Structure formats: C-alpha cells, structure tokens
Amino acid sequence: MDAILETQGLSKQFLGFTAVGDVSLSVRRGSIHGLIGPNGAGKTTCFNLLTKFLPPTSGTIRFNGRDITRMKPAEVARLGLVRSFQISAVFPHLTVLENVRVALQRQRGGSFDFWRSDSVLRRFDARARDLLEDVGLTAFAQRAAGELPYGRKRALEIATTLALEPTMMLLDEPTAGMTAEDVDRIVTLVKRVAEGRTVLMVEHNLKVVEGLCDTITVLTRGRILAEGPYAEVSRNPEVIAAYLGTDPSITGAAAHG
Amino acid sequence: MAGQATAFTATAQQSPGLPGLAALGFNRAQSIAFLLLLGLLLVGPFVLYPVFLMKLLCFALFACAFNLLIGYVGLLSFGHAMFFGMGGYVTAHAAKVWGLTPELAILAGGAVGAVLGVVAGWIAIRRQGIYFAMITLALAQMIFFVCLQAPFTGGEDGIQSVPRGALLGVFSLAQDMSLYWVVAAVFLAGFLLINRIIHSPFGQVLTAIRENEPRAISLGYRVDDYKLMAFTLSATLAGIAGGTKALVFGIATLTDVYWAMSGEVVLMTLVGGLGTVFGPVLGAAVIVSMQNYLAEFGAWVTVIQGCIFVACVLAFRAGIAGQLGRWLRVRL
C-alpha cells in the first residue's frame, strides 16, 4: 500500500493520562480517510499530533516518506500537509477575498517586505476569486469574513486551505454544528476537492463518514479499535459496543455527540 | 487581547481613497484626516508654542510605534519606555559627546532602539498575553537600572544641555521654529512608514496573525519571525521618537526610561483608539495637552488622567478615533 501519512506507536500523555496510546495509522495516498470514535476517544489529540500542534510523548510520524515527528507546525504546512480547525478558523476582520489571499501569499515565500505597497498582492486576486467561486462564495468576496454565516465560514476555510495546494488535507469535523443543508454542501465540496489529494477527517456525523470515506479508523480510549471500509467496520461488534454507551443508533443516520 | 477587537469597525468595504493618497493605503476618510493633519502641522507652530507641539509630535510618534504592535499584531508591550528612553540617551550622548549632527544623532537613537528591540523581542515573543507584557516590563526595568548606574547616562542628573546642532552640519536648529520643521518631518516620515507597514504584504500577514494565530501557523507562516520583525520596527521608531525628544529639550533623563512612561504610551494609544491609524496621534495630543495645561494642578493631573482612562474604557472602548469612526461609519 502506498501510504502518504504513517504513524508508528504514536502516544500522547497528559500528566500520566494517556490520551492517545500506541496509534499506528496508515493513510493511503489519494484516499479519504475518516477518524471516528466516541467522545474523548482522542480524535482531536491525534489530529493535533499529526499537524504538530502538540508534541507526541513517543512514536513517529512520517509524511511522504519524511520523518516529521520533530518538525514545527508551520514547516509541516509548507510540506503540503494542511489542517483545518474544529471551530471555524477564518480571519474575521479581513474580507473573504483577503482571507484566501493570505494563503496564496505564501507562494511568495516569506512576506517581510514592509516597505512595499500591498498592491503587489493584487496579482493573487484572480486565483482567489477562482477559489471562492469553487466554494460558492463569490457574492461575499468583499464582505468581512466574520459576518459570514457559520456554514459559509467553513466553506471559506476550505477555500483558504485549498489555496495552499496541499497534497494532504486534515479536516477537523468539517460539518460540526451545521444545518442539514449546509452539511450536504460541505460533503459535495469535500468530495470534489479531494480529487487528486488525500484527506484525513475527524467526523462525528456517521452519515457523512459513510458517504465520503474510503477507509475509517475507529478510536476508543486513545487506541485503535478497528479499521477498514465503513460497511465492514460498522458491523464490527466491538465498534457497536463502544458506540452503544453513547448512541445506540450507529447503523442509523443520526449524528452523535 | 481583551477589547482589541472593538477598535476595528465591522465594515470591511473600503471606500476608495482620494487619488494620490490612495497610493499610501489611505481610504477616503483617512485621506481627509491626513490632509487635516498636514494642515495642522503647517499652521500649528504659528498658533501654538512650538516646543509644546514638538513634544506632542515626539509622543505621537512614540504612540504610533506602540500601536503598530498592539493594534496590528495584538502584542501588548509594557516596556516600550526602554526604547524611548534609551533612544533619548544615545541621541543625547551622540550629539553632546561625539558631536554628531542632529539627524545622525537621531538615527543613532533609532539604531539602539532596533538593537534593543531585537534582543527584547527575541526573548519576549516566546510568551503570549500577560506573560509577554510582564517580560517586556521586566526587561525595561533592567534597562532602567542600567541607565541609573551606567556612567554615560549621568545617573539622576541625566544628560543635560544637549546641543541641537546644525542639520547636516549646515542649518542651525537653535531656533525653535527651525527645529520644529525637522521634528515635524521626522514625525511625518515615521507616521507614513507605519502606515506603509500596515498596508504592506508584511502587514497583511501581521493582521492575519492578530486575527487568528493558529490559523496563520497552519498556513505555513513562521509567526515568531513576523512578530520579532514587527517588534523591532516598533522599537526602532520608539527610539527615534525618544531621540528626537532629547534634542528638543536638550536633556535625557530617567523619566523617559521609567516604567510609568511605558504606561503612558499605553494610555495614549487606548484613549486615542487602538488599531486605528490616527488614534495614537489624537491620544498623544490629549494626554500631552493635559499634562501641559493642567500642570498647575500638580499631582492632580494623574488623578484626572486616571478618570479619563476609566471613562474611556467604560464609555468608548474603541478610543476617540475608533468611536468617531463608528459614528461616521468610516475607518480612521
């Protein structure tokens, strides 16, 4: 299997509490991989470890064959492994267009030229508009990002992430807190932008997972419980048991907390 | 940082600026305010006492430099007196002992601000919020102690009777009016430079960091490098402001490195309007005027200042420029 992201024995302890223990995860290039599990299973911790926002206690992480275990988050982003956040991460007082442009601006390398007018950034406007069109935000281009409704903010976040042309996207609960109609829009969007990339997503909404993911990994108490295609994993008795405590309707469509 | 978001008006749509001034990054309201400021700079010395105006301009530049950090990066430095005061000492020393011309002496003040800024910034930006503020305060106190003990600062006496010298070695600045134009030019250059920084590719990244630091990191920006750069620029300009002030009064003393001076610049920026282009200038004008014209009340000035500060925080947290901008629905 051609794995783009691989972890070996990844662990994170907080004051002796093992939030993530011995996780060996392997994400196939070009796939959409789902990371699910009941509350407190360590999904978000795992996510923060992969994007280097948390240092692991032990274990290694390899991305595209490179050991990224000791890298800083900004360096990992530069390698093409770009994350989103659970709470919508936009720059609220910048316009929607500027939000995307800040990401495109990374193509210049460092932007330490404080003596130059920001009109040099206008060359990114066209590309930014393309990206906004992709996610259906053209009409909002000149609005402050903070004014957008929640679902649109998530769309903007995805456009901003795409601006970096990432090889792999890590999406932290892309549909959390959304209305049903927003969920559909995001699902379509993720499916479309995943073309030619790899996506790893933490997701609570099992319907979304079922519809999107090629492979899913189930975490409970910081450890991997099961891995495989949705159809297979959802029949796994251990997985059903793990979910029963919080939500019996794993085979149903409802999101759970 | 608490309350900072209030200063930025929600309207992101920029009205197009006046031709010419738009190139400086000003919107229409800012262009008008800028022309007004230019007018005041030109007329001011014929109406008001030039030395008072020069003092005001030095503090205005200081406050603008401080605002670059708090308003556009979200970093609250509580030790900016170290750059201001040290800039003053070095300029005074350069003019008096080394016999440098005033423009070189002021540049020396800026240079020491830059060097101190790199060192202090490198240490302080590793922490955030209140810890950042405390580290800058601690470093400033260390600089205060150095200034108290080092032989070249003259201890409690400070450096006195600093010669104003002659600009480029040619034009004597002994007259208040001649010096005024130099000070006005220094202020204007600093003010426009800050405005350019805000409206540069670099400034765009700074804004992103202020708005959402983790997101800026996740986009691949090494935010510490940007913060250090901004810190150094701010410190340099604070050094230039302090140096200019030392030339104006012909004296550099401990007052300007004392922690109260760090507090004063916070006050000026807050009263004027954090994160606004013109706010710090207004804030400096209000505070310096109060200190000058209420001087007869003695210690009561501090009490009055305190009341104004409380009133500001309670009634219009966005500061004078911020509140004015809200009423007029523009960004100042």
Side-chain angles (χ1 to χ4, degrees), chain A residues 88-144:
Chain A
S88 70
V90 297
F91 305 114
H93 292 94
L94 294 183
T95 64
V96 169
L97 185 78
E98 283 171 331
N99 263 268
V100 179
R101 211 172 61 177
V102 166
L104 289 169
Q105 199 183 329
R106 278 277 311 113
Q107 294 167 14
R108 311 172 76 227
S111 283
F112 290 98
D113 40 355
F114 61 83
W115 57 89
R116 205 169 274 152
S117 163
D118 56 9
S119 57
V120 299
L121 300 177
R122 287 201 195 123
R123 67 188 168 97
F124 297 115
D125 282 1
R127 176 76 186 121
R129 283 180 198 285
D130 287 349
L131 285 161
L132 288 181
E133 190 169 355
D134 266 0
V135 298
L137 287 177
T138 306
F140 302 93
Q142 295 304 324
R143 304 295 292 269

Coordinates of all heavy atoms in Angstrom, one line a residue, chain A residues 88-144:
Chain A
S88 N -14.5 27.3 13.5 CA -14.2 27.8 12.1 C -13.0 28.8 12.2 O -13.1 29.8 13.0 CB -15.4 28.4 11.5 OG -15.7 29.6 12.1
A89 N -12.0 28.6 11.5 CA -10.8 29.4 11.6 C -10.7 30.3 10.4 O -10.1 30.0 9.4 CB -9.6 28.5 11.6
V90 N -11.3 31.5 10.5 CA -11.1 32.5 9.5 C -10.5 33.7 10.1 O -10.3 33.8 11.4 CB -12.5 32.9 8.9 CG1 -13.1 31.7 8.2 CG2 -13.4 33.5 9.9
F91 N -10.1 34.7 9.3 CA -9.6 35.9 9.9 C -10.7 36.9 9.8 O -11.0 37.5 8.7 CB -8.4 36.4 9.0 CG -7.3 35.4 8.9 CD1 -6.9 34.8 7.7 CD2 -6.6 35.0 10.1 CE1 -5.9 33.9 7.6 CE2 -5.5 34.0 10.0 CZ -5.2 33.5 8.7
P92 N -11.4 37.1 10.9 CA -12.8 37.8 10.9 C -12.8 39.2 10.3 O -13.8 39.5 9.7 CB -13.2 37.7 12.3 CG -12.0 37.4 13.2 CD -11.1 36.7 12.3
H93 N -11.7 40.0 10.6 CA -11.8 41.4 10.1 C -11.2 41.6 8.7 O -11.2 42.7 8.2 CB -11.2 42.3 11.1 CG -12.0 42.4 12.4 ND1 -11.7 41.6 13.5 CD2 -13.0 43.1 12.7 CE1 -12.5 41.8 14.4 NE2 -13.4 42.8 14.0
L94 N -10.7 40.5 8.1 CA -10.2 40.6 6.7 C -11.4 40.3 5.9 O -12.4 39.6 6.3 CB -9.1 39.6 6.5 CG -7.8 39.8 7.2 CD1 -6.7 38.8 6.7 CD2 -7.3 41.2 6.9
T95 N -11.4 40.7 4.6 CA -12.5 40.4 3.7 C -12.4 38.9 3.3 O -11.3 38.3 3.5 CB -12.5 41.2 2.5 OG1 -11.3 40.9 1.7 CG2 -12.6 42.7 2.7
V96 N -13.4 38.4 2.8 CA -13.4 37.0 2.4 C -12.3 36.8 1.4 O -11.5 35.8 1.4 CB -14.8 36.6 1.8 CG1 -14.8 35.3 1.1 CG2 -15.8 36.6 2.9
L97 N -12.2 37.7 0.4 CA -11.1 37.6 -0.6 C -9.8 37.6 0.1 O -8.9 36.8 -0.3 CB -11.3 38.8 -1.6 CG -10.3 38.7 -2.7 CD1 -10.8 37.7 -3.8 CD2 -10.2 40.1 -3.4
E98 N -9.6 38.6 1.0 CA -8.3 38.7 1.7 C -7.9 37.4 2.4 O -6.7 37.0 2.5 CB -8.2 39.9 2.6 CG -8.1 41.2 1.9 CD -8.3 42.4 2.9 OE1 -9.1 42.3 3.9 OE2 -7.7 43.4 2.6
N99 N -8.9 36.8 3.0 CA -8.7 35.5 3.7 C -8.0 34.5 2.8 O -7.0 33.9 3.2 CB -10.0 34.9 4.2 CG -10.3 35.3 5.6 OD1 -10.0 34.5 6.6 ND2 -10.9 36.4 5.9
V100 N -8.5 34.3 1.6 CA -7.9 33.4 0.7 C -6.5 33.9 0.2 O -5.6 33.1 0.1 CB -8.8 33.1 -0.5 CG1 -8.2 32.2 -1.5 CG2 -10.2 32.6 0.0
R101 N -6.5 35.2 0.1 CA -5.2 35.8 -0.5 C -4.1 35.6 0.5 O -2.9 35.4 0.0 CB -5.5 37.2 -0.8 CG -4.7 37.7 -2.0 CD -5.1 39.1 -2.4 NE -4.9 40.0 -1.3 CZ -5.1 41.4 -1.4 NH1 -5.5 41.9 -2.5 NH2 -4.9 42.2 -0.4
V102 N -4.3 35.7 1.8 CA -3.3 35.5 2.7 C -2.6 34.1 2.5 O -1.4 34.0 2.7 CB -3.8 35.7 4.2 CG1 -2.8 35.1 5.2 CG2 -4.1 37.1 4.5
A103 N -3.5 33.1 2.2 CA -2.9 31.8 2.0 C -2.1 31.8 0.7 O -1.0 31.2 0.6 CB -4.0 30.8 1.9
L104 N -2.7 32.4 -0.4 CA -2.0 32.4 -1.7 C -0.7 33.2 -1.6 O 0.3 32.8 -2.2 CB -2.9 33.1 -2.7 CG -4.1 32.4 -3.2 CD1 -5.0 33.3 -4.0 CD2 -3.7 31.1 -4.0
Q105 N -0.6 34.1 -0.7 CA 0.6 35.0 -0.5 C 1.8 34.1 0.0 O 2.9 34.5 -0.2 CB 0.2 36.0 0.6 CG 1.1 37.2 0.7 CD 0.8 38.1 1.8 OE1 -0.4 38.2 2.2 NE2 1.8 38.8 2.4
R106 N 1.5 32.9 0.5 CA 2.6 32.0 0.9 C 3.5 31.7 -0.3 O 4.6 31.4 -0.1 CB 2.0 30.8 1.5 CG 1.6 30.9 3.0 CD 2.8 30.7 3.9 NE 3.6 29.5 3.5 CZ 4.8 29.5 3.0 NH1 5.4 30.6 2.9 NH2 5.3 28.3 2.7
Q107 N 2.9 31.7 -1.5 CA 3.7 31.4 -2.7 C 4.9 32.3 -2.9 O 5.9 32.0 -3.5 CB 2.9 31.5 -4.0 CG 1.8 30.5 -4.0 CD 0.8 30.8 -5.1 OE1 1.0 31.7 -6.0 NE2 -0.4 30.2 -5.1
R108 N 4.8 33.5 -2.2 CA 5.9 34.5 -2.4 C 7.1 34.1 -1.5 O 8.1 34.7 -1.4 CB 5.5 35.9 -1.9 CG 4.2 36.4 -2.5 CD 3.8 37.7 -1.9 NE 4.7 38.8 -2.3 CZ 5.2 39.7 -1.6 NH1 5.1 39.7 -0.3 NH2 6.0 40.7 -2.1
G109 N 6.9 33.0 -0.7 CA 7.9 32.7 0.4 C 7.6 33.6 1.6 O 6.4 33.8 1.9
G110 N 8.6 34.1 2.2 CA 8.4 35.0 3.4 C 7.9 36.3 2.9 O 8.3 36.8 1.8
S111 N 7.0 37.0 3.6 CA 6.5 38.3 3.3 C 7.0 39.3 4.3 O 6.3 39.8 5.1 CB 5.0 38.3 3.2 OG 4.5 37.8 2.0
F112 N 8.3 39.6 4.3 CA 8.9 40.5 5.2 C 9.0 41.9 4.6 O 9.6 42.8 5.2 CB 10.2 40.0 5.8 CG 10.0 38.8 6.7 CD1 10.2 37.5 6.1 CD2 9.6 38.9 8.0 CE1 10.0 36.4 6.9 CE2 9.4 37.8 8.8 CZ 9.6 36.5 8.3
D113 N 8.6 42.1 3.4 CA 8.8 43.4 2.7 C 7.7 44.4 3.2 O 6.7 44.6 2.6 CB 8.7 43.2 1.2 CG 7.6 42.3 0.8 OD1 7.0 41.7 1.6 OD2 7.4 42.2 -0.5
F114 N 8.1 45.1 4.3 CA 7.2 46.0 5.0 C 7.2 47.4 4.2 O 6.4 48.2 4.5 CB 7.5 46.2 6.4 CG 8.9 46.8 6.7 CD1 9.1 48.1 6.6 CD2 10.0 45.9 7.0 CE1 10.4 48.6 6.8 CE2 11.2 46.4 7.2 CZ 11.5 47.8 7.1
W115 N 8.1 47.6 3.3 CA 8.3 48.8 2.7 C 7.4 48.9 1.4 O 7.3 49.9 0.7 CB 9.7 49.2 2.4 CG 10.3 48.0 1.5 CD1 10.4 48.0 0.2 CD2 11.0 46.9 2.0 NE1 11.0 46.8 -0.2 CE2 11.4 46.1 0.9 CE3 11.3 46.4 3.3 CZ2 12.1 44.9 1.0 CZ3 12.0 45.2 3.4 CH2 12.3 44.5 2.3
R116 N 6.9 47.7 1.0 CA 6.3 47.7 -0.3 C 4.7 47.8 -0.1 O 4.2 47.4 0.9 CB 6.6 46.3 -1.0 CG 6.5 46.3 -2.5 CD 7.0 45.0 -3.0 NE 8.5 45.1 -3.2 CZ 9.3 44.0 -3.2 NH1 8.8 42.9 -2.9 NH2 10.6 44.2 -3.4
S117 N 4.1 48.4 -1.1 CA 2.6 48.5 -1.0 C 1.9 47.1 -1.2 O 2.4 46.3 -1.9 CB 2.1 49.5 -2.1 OG 0.7 49.3 -2.3
D118 N 0.8 47.0 -0.5 CA 0.1 45.7 -0.6 C -0.6 45.5 -2.0 O -1.2 44.5 -2.2 CB -0.8 45.4 0.6 CG -1.8 46.5 0.7 OD1 -1.9 47.4 -0.2 OD2 -2.6 46.6 1.7
S119 N -0.4 46.5 -2.8 CA -1.0 46.4 -4.1 C -0.3 45.3 -4.9 O -0.8 44.7 -5.9 CB -1.0 47.7 -4.9 OG 0.4 48.1 -5.0
V120 N 0.9 44.9 -4.5 CA 1.6 43.8 -5.1 C 0.9 42.4 -4.9 O 1.1 41.5 -5.6 CB 3.1 43.6 -4.6 CG1 3.9 44.8 -4.9 CG2 3.1 43.2 -3.2
L121 N 0.0 42.4 -4.0 CA -0.8 41.2 -3.7 C -2.0 41.1 -4.7 O -2.6 40.0 -4.7 CB -1.3 41.2 -2.3 CG -0.2 41.3 -1.2 CD1 -0.9 41.3 0.2 CD2 0.7 40.1 -1.3
R122 N -2.2 42.1 -5.4 CA -3.4 42.0 -6.3 C -3.2 41.0 -7.4 O -4.2 40.5 -7.9 CB -3.6 43.4 -7.0 CG -4.2 44.4 -6.1 CD -4.9 45.5 -6.7 NE -5.0 46.6 -5.7 CZ -4.6 47.8 -5.9 NH1 -4.0 48.2 -7.0 NH2 -4.7 48.7 -4.9
R123 N -2.0 40.6 -7.6 CA -1.8 39.5 -8.7 C -2.4 38.2 -8.2 O -2.6 37.3 -9.0 CB -0.3 39.4 -9.0 CG 0.6 38.9 -8.0 CD 2.0 39.0 -8.4 NE 3.0 38.8 -7.4 CZ 3.6 37.6 -7.1 NH1 3.3 36.6 -7.9 NH2 4.5 37.5 -6.2
F124 N -2.7 38.1 -6.9 CA -3.3 36.8 -6.4 C -4.8 36.9 -6.4 O -5.5 35.9 -6.1 CB -2.9 36.6 -5.0 CG -1.4 36.3 -4.8 CD1 -0.6 37.2 -4.1 CD2 -0.8 35.2 -5.4 CE1 0.8 37.0 -4.0 CE2 0.6 35.0 -5.3 CZ 1.3 35.9 -4.6
D125 N -5.4 38.1 -6.7 CA -6.8 38.3 -6.7 C -7.6 37.3 -7.6 O -8.6 36.7 -7.2 CB -7.2 39.7 -7.0 CG -7.0 40.7 -5.9 OD1 -6.5 40.2 -4.8 OD2 -7.2 41.9 -6.0
A126 N -7.1 37.2 -8.8 CA -7.8 36.3 -9.8 C -7.9 34.9 -9.3 O -9.0 34.3 -9.3 CB -7.1 36.3 -11.1
R127 N -6.8 34.4 -8.8 CA -6.8 33.0 -8.3 C -7.7 32.9 -7.0 O -8.4 31.9 -6.9 CB -5.3 32.6 -7.9 CG -5.2 31.3 -7.3 CD -5.3 30.1 -8.3 NE -5.3 28.8 -7.6 CZ -6.3 27.9 -7.7 NH1 -7.3 28.2 -8.4 NH2 -6.2 26.8 -7.0
A128 N -7.7 33.9 -6.2 CA -8.5 33.9 -5.0 C -10.0 33.9 -5.4 O -10.8 33.1 -4.8 CB -8.2 35.1 -4.2
R129 N -10.3 34.6 -6.4 CA -11.7 34.6 -6.9 C -12.1 33.3 -7.4 O -13.2 32.8 -7.2 CB -11.9 35.7 -8.0 CG -12.0 37.1 -7.3 CD -12.2 38.2 -8.4 NE -11.9 39.5 -7.8 CZ -12.7 40.1 -6.9 NH1 -13.8 39.6 -6.6 NH2 -12.3 41.3 -6.4
D130 N -11.2 32.6 -8.2 CA -11.5 31.3 -8.7 C -11.8 30.3 -7.5 O -12.8 29.6 -7.6 CB -10.2 30.7 -9.4 CG -10.1 31.4 -10.8 OD1 -11.0 32.1 -11.2 OD2 -9.0 31.2 -11.4
L131 N -11.0 30.4 -6.5 CA -11.2 29.5 -5.3 C -12.5 29.8 -4.6 O -13.2 28.9 -4.2 CB -10.0 29.7 -4.3 CG -8.7 29.0 -4.8 CD1 -7.5 29.6 -4.0 CD2 -8.8 27.5 -4.6
L132 N -12.8 31.1 -4.6 CA -14.1 31.5 -3.9 C -15.3 31.0 -4.7 O -16.3 30.5 -4.2 CB -14.2 33.0 -3.7 CG -13.3 33.6 -2.7 CD1 -13.5 35.1 -2.6 CD2 -13.6 32.9 -1.3
E133 N -15.1 31.0 -6.0 CA -16.2 30.5 -6.9 C -16.4 29.0 -6.7 O -17.5 28.5 -6.6 CB -15.8 30.8 -8.4 CG -17.0 30.5 -9.3 CD -16.8 31.1 -10.7 OE1 -15.8 31.7 -10.9 OE2 -17.7 30.8 -11.5
D134 N -15.2 28.3 -6.6 CA -15.3 26.9 -6.3 C -16.2 26.5 -5.1 O -16.8 25.5 -5.1 CB -13.9 26.4 -6.0 CG -13.2 25.9 -7.3 OD1 -13.8 25.9 -8.3 OD2 -12.0 25.4 -7.2
V135 N -16.1 27.4 -4.1 CA -16.9 27.0 -2.9 C -18.1 27.9 -2.8 O -18.8 27.9 -1.7 CB -16.0 27.2 -1.6 CG1 -14.8 26.3 -1.6 CG2 -15.6 28.6 -1.4
G136 N -18.5 28.6 -3.8 CA -19.7 29.3 -3.9 C -19.8 30.5 -3.0 O -20.8 30.9 -2.4
L137 N -18.6 31.2 -2.9 CA -18.6 32.4 -2.1 C -18.4 33.7 -2.8 O -18.1 34.8 -2.2 CB -17.5 32.3 -1.0 CG -17.8 31.3 0.1 CD1 -16.6 31.2 1.1 CD2 -19.0 31.7 0.9
T138 N -18.5 33.7 -4.2 CA -18.2 34.8 -5.0 C -18.9 36.1 -4.5 O -18.3 37.1 -4.4 CB -18.5 34.5 -6.5 OG1 -17.8 33.3 -6.8 CG2 -18.1 35.6 -7.4
A139 N -20.2 35.9 -4.2 CA -21.0 37.0 -3.8 C -20.6 37.7 -2.6 O -20.9 38.9 -2.3 CB -22.5 36.6 -3.7
F140 N -19.8 37.0 -1.8 CA -19.4 37.5 -0.5 C -17.9 38.1 -0.5 O -17.4 38.5 0.6 CB -19.5 36.4 0.6 CG -20.9 35.8 0.7 CD1 -21.2 34.7 0.0 CD2 -21.8 36.4 1.6 CE1 -22.5 34.1 0.2 CE2 -23.1 35.9 1.7 CZ -23.4 34.8 1.0
A141 N -17.3 38.1 -1.6 CA -15.9 38.3 -1.7 C -15.4 39.6 -0.9 O -14.4 39.6 -0.2 CB -15.4 38.5 -3.1
Q142 N -16.2 40.7 -0.9 CA -15.8 41.9 -0.3 C -16.4 42.1 1.1 O -16.2 43.1 1.8 CB -16.2 43.1 -1.1 CG -15.5 43.2 -2.5 CD -14.0 43.1 -2.3 OE1 -13.4 43.7 -1.4 NE2 -13.3 42.5 -3.2
R143 N -17.1 41.0 1.6 CA -17.6 41.1 3.0 C -16.5 40.7 4.0 O -15.6 40.0 3.7 CB -18.8 40.2 3.2 CG -19.9 40.5 2.2 CD -20.5 41.8 2.4 NE -21.3 41.9 3.6 CZ -22.6 41.6 3.7 NH1 -23.2 41.3 2.6 NH2 -23.2 41.7 4.9
A144 N -16.6 41.3 5.2 CA -15.7 40.8 6.3 C -16.1 39.3 6.6 O -17.2 39.0 6.7 CB -15.9 41.6 7.5

